[in-house]
């Protein structure tokens, strides 16, 4: 191959490989956390799952805390990016149909493997001082970003008193629905709650018609 | 003392002692779970905290799973009993003032040490087969009971379409608010969300006036 492809500096492919390794580690870390919890998630387990040597993993992430907080942040950014991409195909702002789709998409953010992984990280962090500050800061960043995205997608006007708290309550409800799916997949119940709360939000945010 | 108190059968005080020991174990188990998580919560640690021998603890609870699921259930019942007792001092049914107090009391159910303990148990159960079925069943019982209490306190009429799901969403929101307090005590934010959603629920459940 090297004989036909145009000559390149040796650095570029190496950087690409390095980025690919990093990404593989981050995604393996999140699935590991979701499936095995914090106590079952070590750097070695993740390295093996990503098909990377332990040394290479430690080159990218100095500590276990570095690896797992970076992993949850990386996947959260990806998921929020996907949520923002939804904006292009939405019904007009201010319509009930739009509110329904947005509420559903936000709830979906909190009911997948990412939320499961984040939940394990939060619970572990609540007992472990070195992890606690980092996860608290991470959670604040991710939460602010989720709030901004929700406001934008709903077309909500936060200068109206109460609108900010209305959207926050929606995000809290989504987190609670995520928690409920931890033990049982209660999708039919969840769908009914989503339908009803989307109706309520539509009335609060867009008025009675 | 025995010389002045009236004679009793030997069984009665023994049963009382046994009940007191059981209760001490259950409450020690919940505080242990809230502070140290599942991995730090063993029967020995709880027995020591309750001032009971390990043998006595095992006489009451054969396994670690028995002890901790019974503990979460016991404390959940106590908390729900306390919530029901609130009913006696509430403003009239259908009033905004009543809805505000009820929403606040329900949210309080999910932001104390019991919720923290239950959260540790849920997350542990999501990874551990022997615990999973028991915690799932426990969570279903506790959830149904919380729903019934919320409906009764709010004076909600579940024969009206959407009311059931409105109340479920409120309980999910409360769980989500509880989750948010795991890492940071965000009471000022929580109070604002409670105020706004109590207003919204009052309109949905009691109409515009």
């Amino acid at each position: 191959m090297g004989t036909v492809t145009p000559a390149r500096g040796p650095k570029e492919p190496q950087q690409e490989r390095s980025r690919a390794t990093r990404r593989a580690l981050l995604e393996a870390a999140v699935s590991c956390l979701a499936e095995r919890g914090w106590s079952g998630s070590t750097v070695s387990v993740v390295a093996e799952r990503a098909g990377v040597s332990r040394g290479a993993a430690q080159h990218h992430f100095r500590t276990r805390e570095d690896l797992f907080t970076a992993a949850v942040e990386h996947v959260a950014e990806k998921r929020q990016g996907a949520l923002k991409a939804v904006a292009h195909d939405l019904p007009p702002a201010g319509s009930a149909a739009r509110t329904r789709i947005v509420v559903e998409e936000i709830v979906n953010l909190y009911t997948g493997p990412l939320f499961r992984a984040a939940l394990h990280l939060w619970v572990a962090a609540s007992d472990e001082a070195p992890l606690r500050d980092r996860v608290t800061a991470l959670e604040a960043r991710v939460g602010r970003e989720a709030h901004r995205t929700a406001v934008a997608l709903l077309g909500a006007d936060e200068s109206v008193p109460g609108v900010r708290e209305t959207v926050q309550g929606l995000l809290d409800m989504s987190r609670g629905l995520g928690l409920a799916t931890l033990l049982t997949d209660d999708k039919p119940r969840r769908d009914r709650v989503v339908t009803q709360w989307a109706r309520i939000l539509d009335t609060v945010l867009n008025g009675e018609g």
Side-chain angles (χ1 to χ4, degrees), chain A:
Chain A
M1 276 205 315
T3 54
V4 274
T5 47
R8 284 208 221 177
K11 260 205 146 168
E12 209 176 323
Q14 199 188 317
Q15 280 181 351
E16 268 165 40
R17 263 202 314 278
S18 174
R19 268 199 299 270
T21 300
R22 191 184 148 88
R23 209 160 41 231
L25 284 166
L26 293 172
E27 308 208 337
V30 164
S31 64
C32 187
L33 205 48
E35 287 164 29
R36 300 169 150 228
W38 176 249
S39 61
S41 294
T42 61
V43 176
S44 301
V45 169
V46 171
E48 200 188 324
R49 194 178 273 230
V52 166
S53 74
R54 197 170 184 282
Q58 278 177 324
H59 168 75
H60 284 276
F61 302 99
R62 218 174 43 80
T63 67
R64 186 182 176 209
E65 287 76 17
D66 285 344
L67 170 59
F68 287 96
T69 50
V72 167
E73 184 153 29
H74 165 76
V75 178
E77 277 168 7
K78 254 183 60 178
R79 295 286 326 257
Q80 301 228 8
L83 181 58
K84 281 178 199 159
V86 164
H88 302 301
D89 288 318
L90 286 177
S95 67
R98 182 182 178 118
T99 305
R100 175 72 175 79
I101 294 172
V102 172
V103 171
E104 195 171 338
E105 292 286 349
I106 290 171
V107 168
N108 287 346
L109 252 195
Y110 291 93
T111 47
L114 165 64
F115 181 76
R116 203 181 175 88
L119 194 55
H120 277 104
L121 196 65
W122 287 341
V123 168
S126 77
D127 299 327
E128 291 192 31
L131 196 56
R132 192 182 171 103
D133 291 347
R134 307 195 41 182
V135 174
T136 303
L138 165 63
E139 175 42 23
R141 277 200 304 281
V142 171
R144 271 194 304 269
E145 183 63 18
H147 185 90
R148 263 196 299 270
T149 305
V151 166
L153 292 179
L154 290 164
D157 178 1
E158 289 203 301
S159 70
V160 176
V163 164
R164 187 176 172 73
E165 290 74 21
T166 303
V167 176
Q168 286 191 345
L170 168 66
L171 291 169
D172 287 309
M173 189 202 68
S174 305
R175 266 184 219 111
L177 285 170
L179 196 52
T181 60
L182 187 65
L183 294 177
T184 46
D185 181 17
D186 63 344
K187 189 162 182 350
R189 179 187 86 88
R190 193 162 70 236
D191 286 345
R192 289 192 298 270
V193 173
V194 163
T195 299
Q196 174 63 6
W197 273 56
R199 268 191 213 128
I200 295 173
L201 278 164
D202 182 54
T203 307
V204 173
L205 298 176
N206 305 324
E208 287 289 353

